[in-house]
Every structure is written in C-alpha cells, then in structure tokens.
C-alpha cells in the first residue's frame, strides 16, 4: 500500500533536514508557524490510507498536536498546534510510520483521484494502479523533486463524483470506440488530446518535466495555469508530448457539485461504500480511531476525498446498520442532515493571525441552524477569514469573506454588499437555502 521505506541513502537523508518557516507550503519536514503552533502536512497520494496508518496519525496528533486531523482539499492530511520542541520527535515518528518515503519529495505529494476508484459502477477504469505507479516514479525522480508543493496531478477513471478545477496536469478517462483513453487537461483546460493508458504515465511525467523546463525558461512559476495561458509555453509543451498524444473527445462531467454523504453502491455485489459527513474537514482523534476500527473490522480501506471528507470503501451491505451505529457513536452522521453539508471554513481566528473573524465558530452556528433540514442539491458555502480565501472552491452558493468592517456577502453569484454582521449574513443564507428546490438525493 502506501507504507513505503525511504528511497534515499542515509547520508543524503541527513542533508535533507527539517525546516521551520512561514514562507513556504507545509510538509512533514517543512513546519509552518501558525497562531496555534506549528502546522505540518502529510502526503497521502491518491488519498488512500490503511487503517493502521490513521491510527498512528491519531496517536501522534493526540501526543504532539491539537488532537485533531485535518483533511486538505488535495486529499492530504495535516496536523496543527505542534510545539517546536516536539517537532523532531514527531518527524521521526512519521518517518518510522512510512509517511515520509522520500525526504526529497516531502512536498511533491499531490496526486488526487476519485475516492470511489475501483468501486464506482459507472467508472471507465480503475485509476488506483496508475496512482500507485505515478507515486513510485515521482519519488524515484530527482528532477521532479523540484515541482512546486501546490503542483497537482489528477487521475480520474471517469466515474461520477469527481470533478477538479485547475489541476496542473490531469488525466480523465474517456471511452473511444470501445477503448479507454486518458484525456489530458493542463491547468484546468481541456487539451483536446488524449493518451493511451499504457503510455499515460510516461506522458504525464514528461509533461511535468517539461513544465519545469519551460517555466524556468520563461521565468514563471511552474504551474499548469501559467503554461496553458501562454502560447509560447503551451505550444512547445504539446509539441514535446506529440509522440504520446492523439486527438481525443472531451470528457463529460456528471458531477452535480454536491458533497457525497451516505451509502453508495459499488461494483462488488453485496458491498457498499459508506461516506460520513466530516464537519469542516476535521476529524477528532476519537473519530479517526472509530473509522480505522470499522475499516479493520470489515476489511475495507479508507480513502481521503478532495471535498475534505473520507470514505469507507467496501462494507458488506448487511453490516450498514452496525457501521452506521459505530459512526454515530463518534458523532459522524450519514444522513446529510448535520448542517455541514457543503459548508467550508478556513482556519479562522483561532489558528490564523490574518483572520478577521472567527469563521469556524460562524460555520458551526450556520450548521446548527441547518441541522435537521433536508440537504439541498447544489448548496455550498465558503466562509473565509480574509480575502486570501485559502483552499476554497471557486464557486459556492454563498460566499462570506471577512473584512475589517464585517463580512462581504455573495449569494448565487450576486454581490449583496459589505459590512454584514454574521447574524445578518446568516439570515440571508438561511432564507436562500430554504427556498432552494428540494430533490431526492442520489444516495442509495
Ligand atoms: S483565508 Fe485568510 S484567514 Fe483564512 S486561513 Fe487563509 S490567510 Fe488565514
């Protein structure tokens, strides 16, 4: 699975030591100071983690962090509230647990796929083997250790419930005359070209190397969006990849934009996937242990989701009642009525010096008002502590951005004004949500 030994010799390992600073993206070896202590991020390629790994991370969070585990929007994990004096021990523990397979690639980590890979009845192919091979080849490649920490690969087998905007390099499966191809997207833009599955990873890795070269030549950050927006960058990239590429129809997206929650059928007869709601993308250690214990008892793996959630992969359908009760015991619900459906908030004033509001508290208040209501298709809320709007989706039904004078409020793409108190914004959001149409959820 994803427990790997370090690929670097000892002397090289020693030269790649821990750093602490606020000018870079976090990793395990790159701790970033925040208001509540140091923050580190743990790579989880493809979002797959085995239950024992989650148990270890819960143990480490209890011992060295704030007792919570955050799921990021690229399906990695992060711990926060770490004391500087504990950092060295924590890093050693992560390395022993196989979470740092290459010190050099600590932050070359973002490979996102559908959490339903290998499970979804409507997928064209199972992306998991591609993800594993991509990760193996990435961490064996010293040139690609220079990719920026936000650089994101996405590999999608073509099923429902997976939609990503703006990934640097993305492959999405399409079926052409009965043969699966991967359509290539760069910086979120569909290229119109595809690659056969057998050469897909050669193409993807070559594209990543070329992104580095072209960006260096042009003096721009090596991100897909910088390539795709400049003909002088895009043309050489596509030319360089021409030996891999064929014309390819554009993939269709059948994602409704909603956050999956509930019970979902799988390709495996008699087994379902179980997707609890994870309020604001944070698991308590007790919840993490509860999830790990369910996965161990019923033998499925755990998948982190880019909607900052988690999925239990293969649960016998006659055990759903028991699993549901175990989830309920750790305050994880399956009915989508906990009020958190579609609600995101950034770290907020408890954790971030830049925050102009206690956005997490406000999100909790909003969820309390929505709790018990039927989930509304398409309902999403972003609440940000400042203009930076870290890790928020680009579009949301309601957007609140804190300013020194109150919230800026946008609903359904209309800017309603600035200087909103949270109470006034709450009224507006609740009224709008109540009037949204109610449709039957696609949950089984
Ligand atoms: S959006 Fe602003 S307040 Fe929120 S975490 Fe980012 S920098 Fe901090």
């Amino acid at each position: 699975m994803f427990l790997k030994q370090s690929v670097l010799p000892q002397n090289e390992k020693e030269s790649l030591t821990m750093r602490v600073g606020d000018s870079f993206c976090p990793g395990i070896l790159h701790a970033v100071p925040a208001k509540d202590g140091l923050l580190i991020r743990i790579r989880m390629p493809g979002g797959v983690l085995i239950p024992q790994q989650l148990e270890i991370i819960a143990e480490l969070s209890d011992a060295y962090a704030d007792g919570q585990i955050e799921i990021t929007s690229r399906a990695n994990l992060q711990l926060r509230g770490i004391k500087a004096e504990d950092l060295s021990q924590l890093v050693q523990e992560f390395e022993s647990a196989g979470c740092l397979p290459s010190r050099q690639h600590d932050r070359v980590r973002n490979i996102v796929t559908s959490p339903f890979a290998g499970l979804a009845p409507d997928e064209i192919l199972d992306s998991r083997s591609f993800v594993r091979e991509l990760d193996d080849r990435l961490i064996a490649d010293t040139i690609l250790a220079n990719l920026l920490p936000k650089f994101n690969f996405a590999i999608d087998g073509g099923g429902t419930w997976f939609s990503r905007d703006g990934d640097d390099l993305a492959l999405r499966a399409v079926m052409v005359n009965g043969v699966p191809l991967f359509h290539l997207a760069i910086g979120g833009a569909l290229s119109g070209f595809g690659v056969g599955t057998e050469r897909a990873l050669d193409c993807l890795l070559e594209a990543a190397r070329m992104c580095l070269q072209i960006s260096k030549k042009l003096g721009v950050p090596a991100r897909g969006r910088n390539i795709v927006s400049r003909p002088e960058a895009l043309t050489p990239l596509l030319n360089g990849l021409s030996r891999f590429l064929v014309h390819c129809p554009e993939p269709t997206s059948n994602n409704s934009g909603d956050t999956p929650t509930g019970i979902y059928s799988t390709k495996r007869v008699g087994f379902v996937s179980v997707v609890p709601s994870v309020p604001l993308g944070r698991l308590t250690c007790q919840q993490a242990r509860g999830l790990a214990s369910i996965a161990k008892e019923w033998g499925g793996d755990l998948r982190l989701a880019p909607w900052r959630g988690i999925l239990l992969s293969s649960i016998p359908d006659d055990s759903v009642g028991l699993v549901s009760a175990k989830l309920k015991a750790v305050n994880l619900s399956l009915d989508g009525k906990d009020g958190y459906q579609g609600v995101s908030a950034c770290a907020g004033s408890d954790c971030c010096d830049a925050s102009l509001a206690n956005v997490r508290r406000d999100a909790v208040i909003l969820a309390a008002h929505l709790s018990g209501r039927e989930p509304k298709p398409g309902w999403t809320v972003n609440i940000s502590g400042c203009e930076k709007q870290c890790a928020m989706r680009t579009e949301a039904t309601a957007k609140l951005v804190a300013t020194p004078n109150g919230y800026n409020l946008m609903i359904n793409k209309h800017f309603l004004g600035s200087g909103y108190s949270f109470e006034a914004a709450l009224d507006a959001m609740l009224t709008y949500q109540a009037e949204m149409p109610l449709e039957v959820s696609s949950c089984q």
Side-chain angles (χ1 to χ4, degrees):
M1 304 293 280
F2 287 94
L3 289 168
K4 290 179 179 165
Q5 294 307 305
S6 172
V7 297
L8 288 176
Q10 190 61 30
N11 57 353
E12 201 171 342
K13 274 169 69 173
E14 282 166 0
S15 70
L16 295 161
T17 51
M18 291 181 309
R19 294 167 67 204
V20 177
D22 56 10
S23 59
F24 45 70
C25 248
I28 290 179
L29 294 175
H30 297 78
V32 173
K35 193 172 173 183
D36 56 338
L38 298 173
L39 178 152
I40 60 165
R41 198 166 288 165
I42 309 143
R43 72 195 298 281
M44 290 284 153
V48 175
L49 73 165
I50 55 176
Q52 291 82 352
Q53 220 170 357
L54 187 57
E55 285 175 335
I56 290 169
I57 294 169
E59 214 173 282
L60 296 178
S61 180
D62 256 347
Y64 300 110
D66 67 355
Q68 311 241 349
I69 300 170
E70 293 186 338
I71 304 168
T72 73
S73 57
R74 293 185 180 90
N76 291 304
L77 291 176
Q78 68 185 26
L79 300 187
R80 55 191 320 142
I82 299 158
K83 292 193 186 81
E85 58 269 29
D86 291 335
L87 186 59
S88 169
Q89 182 62 32
L90 182 59
V91 169
Q92 277 181 38
E93 302 267 9
F94 272 120
E95 199 157 28
S96 307
C99 294
L100 188 57
S102 163
R103 287 188 160 222
Q104 208 178 7
H105 296 77
D106 175 31
R107 295 180 303 158
V108 180
R109 57 162 169 248
N110 301 316
I111 308 175
V112 181
T113 193
S114 168
F116 291 96
L119 303 165
D122 62 346
E123 72 180 1
I124 293 170
L125 54 81
D126 180 352
S127 59
R128 289 174 299 168
S129 60
F130 294 91
V131 169
R132 284 193 289 267
E133 186 182 336
L134 175 60
D135 186 43
D136 288 344
R137 290 174 66 177
L138 265 182
I139 61 175
D141 190 317
T142 51
I143 292 174
L144 292 177
N146 296 309
L147 286 173
L148 292 170
K150 288 193 190 308
F151 195 95
N152 197 66
F153 296 93
I155 304 183
D156 170 24
T160 310
W161 297 121
F162 188 70
S163 154
R164 299 274 310 161
D165 295 330
D167 288 312
D168 294 277
L169 292 172
L171 296 176
R172 180 170 170 90
V174 290
M175 193 63 88
V176 181
N177 300 325
V179 177
L181 283 184
F182 276 119
H183 187 281
L184 174 69
I186 303 162
L190 299 174
S191 71
F193 294 103
V195 55
T197 52
E198 68 293 346
R199 301 186 77 198
L201 295 184
D202 292 341
C203 175
L204 202 58
L205 291 161
E206 182 65 11
R209 284 185 212 102
M210 290 190 69
C211 281
L212 287 172
Q213 285 163 13
I214 294 169
S215 302
K216 191 171 175 193
K217 197 167 157 195
L218 296 179
V220 296
R223 298 294 309 276
R225 62 172 180 264
N226 294 326
I227 300 284
V228 83
S229 60
R230 289 174 168 77
E232 71 275 26
L234 185 60
T235 303
L237 178 67
L238 291 176
N239 286 342
L241 298 176
S242 60
R243 66 186 187 282
F244 299 109
L245 300 179
V246 293
H247 286 285
C248 181
E250 294 189 351
T252 50
S253 171
N254 46 2
N255 188 321
S256 65
D258 288 322
T259 306
T261 306
I263 314 296
Y264 293 82
S265 56
T266 71
K267 288 197 265 200
R268 215 176 147 197
V269 177
F271 288 81
V272 293
S273 293
V274 174
V275 188
S277 165
V278 179
L280 306 179
R282 273 185 174 189
L283 291 169
T284 64
C285 288
Q286 187 202 23
Q287 289 170 333
R289 289 191 188 98
L291 286 161
S293 136
I294 293 168
K296 273 161 96 173
E297 187 166 349
W298 280 282
D301 56 21
L302 292 154
R303 319 273 184 90
L304 301 171
W307 57 82
R308 306 187 67 201
I310 197 162
L311 173 149
L312 287 151
S313 65
S314 281
I315 300 292
D317 49 15
D318 58 4
S319 301
V320 165
L322 268 175
V323 168
S324 172
K326 282 183 176 254
L327 289 171
K328 202 169 172 196
V330 290
N331 286 323
L332 291 173
S333 71
L334 288 177
D335 63 5
K337 292 187 189 171
D338 64 356
Y340 286 97
Q341 187 86 354
V343 177
S344 297
C346 76
S349 54
D350 286 343
C351 307
C352 176
D353 283 321
S355 186
L356 298 163
N358 194 338
V359 293
R360 286 191 166 269
R361 180 204 58 199
D362 291 347
V364 170
I365 294 170
L366 170 63
H369 280 81
L370 292 171
S371 173
R373 290 192 189 185
E374 286 297 328
K376 296 287 180 73
W379 167 250
T380 47
V381 181
N382 291 353
I383 312 182
S384 301
C386 78
E387 271 300 332
K388 204 170 162 196
Q389 299 180 57
C390 298
M392 291 295 166
R393 20 173 134 63
T394 38
E395 296 297 343
T397 319
K399 259 191 198 183
L400 278 76
V401 179
T403 73
N405 305 315
Y407 279 114
N408 286 346
L409 177 63
M410 186 178 277
I411 292 186
N412 194 23
K413 299 186 186 162
H414 296 294
F415 183 67
L416 298 191
S418 49
Y420 269 78
S421 66
F422 177 68
E423 290 68 28
L426 179 66
D427 276 349
M429 286 190 289
L430 292 174
T431 303
Y432 188 85
Q433 197 269 359
E435 288 168 0
M436 285 175 75
L438 182 65
E439 289 171 22
V440 179
S441 158
S442 62
C443 294
Q444 195 183 305

